[in-house]
Amino acid sequence: MDPYKYRPSSAFNSPFWSTNSGAPVWNNNSSLTVGTRGPIMLEDYHLVEKIANFDRERIPERVVHARGASAKGFFEVTHDISHLTCADFLRAPGVQTPVIVRFSTVIHERGSPETLRDPRGFAVKFYTREGNFDLVGNNFPVFFIRDGMKFPDMVHSLKPNPKSHIQENWRILDFFSHHPESLHMFSFLFDDVGIPQDYRHMEGSGVNTYTLINKTGKAHYVKFHWKPTCGVKCLLDDEAVMVGGANHSHATKDLYDSIQAGNYPEWKLFIQTIDPDHEDKLDFDPLDVTKTWPEDIIPLQPVGRLVLNKNIDNFFAENEQLAFCPGVVVPGIYYSDDKLLQTRIFSYSDTQRHRLGPNYLMLPANAPKCAHHNNHHDGFMNFLHRDEEVNYFPSRYDPVRHAERFPIPPRICTGKREKCVIEKENNFKQPGERYRSFDPDRQERFIKRWFDALSDPRVTHEIRSIWISYWSQADKSLGQKLATRLNVKPSM
């Protein structure tokens, strides 16, 4: 009997109840007791197995992005960018690659409402012929911080107070008052786009800077952008209260129902590219995730389209056990020295090893769909069928060899060991430009949200003054309006 062929699957369901080991269960309603009313016997194996499995149905939720929904579909190349990358799945227009996508909120728990003001995750797993590529991003093109060293503290400040278990503005404003780099992200989060109407009507961004490499080894920095074909729609604060009060899973339901009805969500993929040799011409560091690349200087280039045309078969298997990592790339796509990306390469896979176990990449949702071979084996929950005698490399008994060499960025790294910030911080220019792009009503809503946050009774006069100073440096009129309403003078 081939154990791989008959691995656990609902396709092999028995017409009668059985234990996990396959033995028939003649009574799935009553425990084995001593007499009709006596105590339950420990030898009731099926009862113990059933309860023990139930006790372990929940796995640790993600520390961030715990609340999410997934769907499957395909990515199709529409424009030739083979001059920029040798990635096989981008080799020519018309090429299609199966994908699975997970949307999520970031800070709040697995059962939290999907209408809270919070960034949204937008993660795409491409099942390519050369292995998986995980494009893990958000609905905003920037982030709060530029160095992963700050990430745990940042999340702690955004999470509920460990004493009261309530998310509180004073904690958030206190932490970020030390980090003016966060202003650009807050210009998105406190804007109308801070609460997407649903997952179908929001943009996505890779956020981090990656590198594309072509066949000759020429490298370009790249940012990825998803644009929904149905447009961007958001909920204003009062609308979010009504929608969330009626259904705390409204975005998950909308995604599922839309696909079920044949109204398939679709996004266009665009990229921006920079020749690394020209990066010094910019007034900001292109590897700084708190910055966007101005589209009038670095235009969007169309690449392809993403279509979600199939709902997942099982929420646990294809959403809770679905795992992404920015370190999962394919030949033709590589990392950059983006400090946040460098941290994420480790942290994402590490958290999944904690949540799902060391062999989480064997789970069907995470496993590559192409042939693959290595000597990573054994460990908790390893279910790969192996009958090889050689589990080392190299060996004259095993014909496996190195793959063909593919190019990676050729830059030479030099410098002394040191902990430092980037030289071109430029924290205030882009947030100010974004605020000035709003119409007057949108500016007023933005100001009101900041007024409400800074009015928290536990926000000190010092912290209010710092924030007003930050926003004054971004836009003088914005700072003045906040100062007037809060009766605080900015301390420039």
Side-chain angles (χ1 to χ4, degrees), residues 15 25 62 80 104 111 116 150 154-155 192 201 206 251 328 333 348 355 357 365 426 474:
V25 174
R62 294 166 171 87
D80 184 10
S104 57
L116 299 177
K150 305 173 185 177
M154 182 203 76
V155 172
D192 292 348
H201 290 91
V328 176
I333 301 175
Y348 274 63
R355 290 184 65 244
N426 206 347

Side-chain angles (χ1 to χ4, degrees), residues 230-370:
C230 58
V232 174
K233 295 182 180 179
C234 306
L235 297 174
L236 297 182
D237 300 76
D238 55 346
E239 295 172 327
V241 171
M242 293 178 62
V243 171
N247 181 2
H248 83 305
S249 300
H250 82 285
T252 297
K253 186 177 188 302
D254 174 84
L255 180 66
Y256 188 92
D257 289 350
S258 297
I259 295 174
Q260 194 78 352
N263 181 22
Y264 301 139
E266 182 174 337
W267 288 261
K268 303 294 186 185
L269 177 64
F270 295 86
I271 59 172
Q272 291 175 288
T273 60
I274 293 176
D275 188 325
D277 295 335
H278 302 156
E279 65 176 290
D280 290 337
K281 296 178 181 179
L282 302 168
D283 64 358
F284 62 91
D285 188 330
L287 306 187
D288 179 356
V289 294
T290 70
K291 304 292 186 293
T292 54
W293 295 357
E295 294 177 17
D296 58 338
I297 302 174
I298 308 160
L300 295 174
Q301 304 175 52
V303 177
R305 67 188 187 114
L306 168 70
V307 179
L308 299 181
N309 59 3
K310 188 178 187 304
N311 280 310
I312 57 176
D313 300 313
N314 180 271
F315 188 83
F316 181 78
E318 296 179 298
N319 186 77
E320 290 304 295
Q321 291 194 139
L322 180 60
F324 296 87
C325 176
V328 176
V329 295
V330 292
I333 301 175
Y334 203 71
Y335 323 116
S336 74
D337 294 334
D338 173 341
K339 282 187 170 185
L340 192 67
L341 175 61
Q342 293 282 319
T343 311
R344 295 174 78 208
I345 290 169
F346 166 76
S347 66
Y348 274 63
S349 55
D350 187 57
T351 195
Q352 300 303 346
R353 292 186 194 101
H354 165 67
R355 290 184 65 244
L356 303 171
N359 289 302
Y360 75 95
L361 288 174
M362 288 186 181
L363 295 169
N366 303 322
K369 307 312 173 194
C370 60

Side-chain angles (χ1 to χ4, degrees), residues 220-233:
H220 285 85
Y221 291 145
V222 63
K223 280 187 179 286
F224 298 95
H225 302 276
W226 298 106
K227 305 287 185 181
T229 57
C230 58
V232 174
K233 295 182 180 179

Side-chain angles (χ1 to χ4, degrees), residues 40-334:
I40 295 174
M41 301 183 71
L42 186 61
E43 68 183 60
D44 190 342
Y45 174 80
H46 176 59
L47 169 69
V48 174
E49 182 185 69
K50 185 176 181 180
I51 297 299
N53 271 266
F54 176 75
D55 290 345
R56 292 161 176 79
E57 280 183 1
R58 297 294 179 264
I59 60 176
E61 71 176 33
R62 294 166 171 87
V63 177
V64 287
H65 298 276
R67 171 67 136 131
S70 304
K72 295 182 280 191
F74 65 89
F75 174 77
E76 180 181 16
V77 179
T78 57
H79 292 72
D80 184 10
I81 61 166
S82 58
H83 62 291
L84 292 171
T85 176
C86 59
D88 177 74
F89 79 103
L90 298 172
R91 63 188 178 276
V95 173
Q96 289 191 357
T97 301
V99 300
I100 187 167
V101 178
R102 186 176 189 269
F103 305 101
S104 57
T105 58
V106 176
I107 292 301
H108 302 280
E109 295 91 341
R110 190 156 49 190
S112 59
E114 292 179 306
T115 47
L116 299 177
R117 185 169 296 278
D118 195 22
R120 301 296 191 270
F122 193 129
V124 183
K125 187 182 294 290
F126 299 80
Y127 298 108
T128 88
R129 302 192 307 182
E130 292 185 317
N132 293 349
F133 169 47
D134 288 356
L135 182 53
V136 192
N138 288 335
N139 64 322
F140 301 148
V142 293
F143 200 60
F144 293 103
I145 53 173
R146 59 173 69 98
D147 192 319
M149 177 69 83
K150 305 173 185 177
F151 191 82
D153 294 294
M154 182 203 76
V155 172
H156 287 168
S157 75
L158 291 163
K159 286 283 191 180
N161 183 326
K163 183 175 181 179
S164 65
H165 199 65
I166 299 170
Q167 187 184 41
E168 295 169 345
N169 281 330
W170 68 269
R171 290 164 39 82
I172 298 170
L173 297 173
D174 174 33
F175 174 77
F176 287 109
S177 71
H178 299 275
H179 303 293
E181 69 207 63
S182 66
L183 251 65
H184 202 186
M185 181 66 166
F186 278 114
S187 76
F188 285 88
L189 184 60
F190 276 46
D191 180 26
D192 292 348
V193 297
I195 308 177
Q197 176 177 293
D198 48 58
Y199 296 131
R200 290 186 298 128
H201 290 91
M202 73 179 194
E203 295 183 340
S205 172
V207 182
N208 294 109
T209 301
Y210 285 83
T211 307
L212 296 180
I213 309 102
N214 64 17
K215 292 179 181 178
T216 66
K218 175 59 181 174
H220 285 85
Y221 291 145
V222 63
K223 280 187 179 286
F224 298 95
H225 302 276
W226 298 106
K227 305 287 185 181
T229 57
C230 58
V232 174
K233 295 182 180 179
C234 306
L235 297 174
L236 297 182
D237 300 76
D238 55 346
E239 295 172 327
V241 171
M242 293 178 62
V243 171
N247 181 2
H248 83 305
S249 300
H250 82 285
T252 297
K253 186 177 188 302
D254 174 84
L255 180 66
Y256 188 92
D257 289 350
S258 297
I259 295 174
Q260 194 78 352
N263 181 22
Y264 301 139
E266 182 174 337
W267 288 261
K268 303 294 186 185
L269 177 64
F270 295 86
I271 59 172
Q272 291 175 288
T273 60
I274 293 176
D275 188 325
D277 295 335
H278 302 156
E279 65 176 290
D280 290 337
K281 296 178 181 179
L282 302 168
D283 64 358
F284 62 91
D285 188 330
L287 306 187
D288 179 356
V289 294
T290 70
K291 304 292 186 293
T292 54
W293 295 357
E295 294 177 17
D296 58 338
I297 302 174
I298 308 160
L300 295 174
Q301 304 175 52
V303 177
R305 67 188 187 114
L306 168 70
V307 179
L308 299 181
N309 59 3
K310 188 178 187 304
N311 280 310
I312 57 176
D313 300 313
N314 180 271
F315 188 83
F316 181 78
E318 296 179 298
N319 186 77
E320 290 304 295
Q321 291 194 139
L322 180 60
F324 296 87
C325 176
V328 176
V329 295
V330 292
I333 301 175
Y334 203 71

Side-chain angles (χ1 to χ4, degrees), residues 390-403:
V390 176
N391 60 349
Y392 50 86
F393 178 85
S395 169
R396 291 184 173 84
Y397 295 93
D398 187 345
V400 70
R401 63 188 187 280
H402 288 121

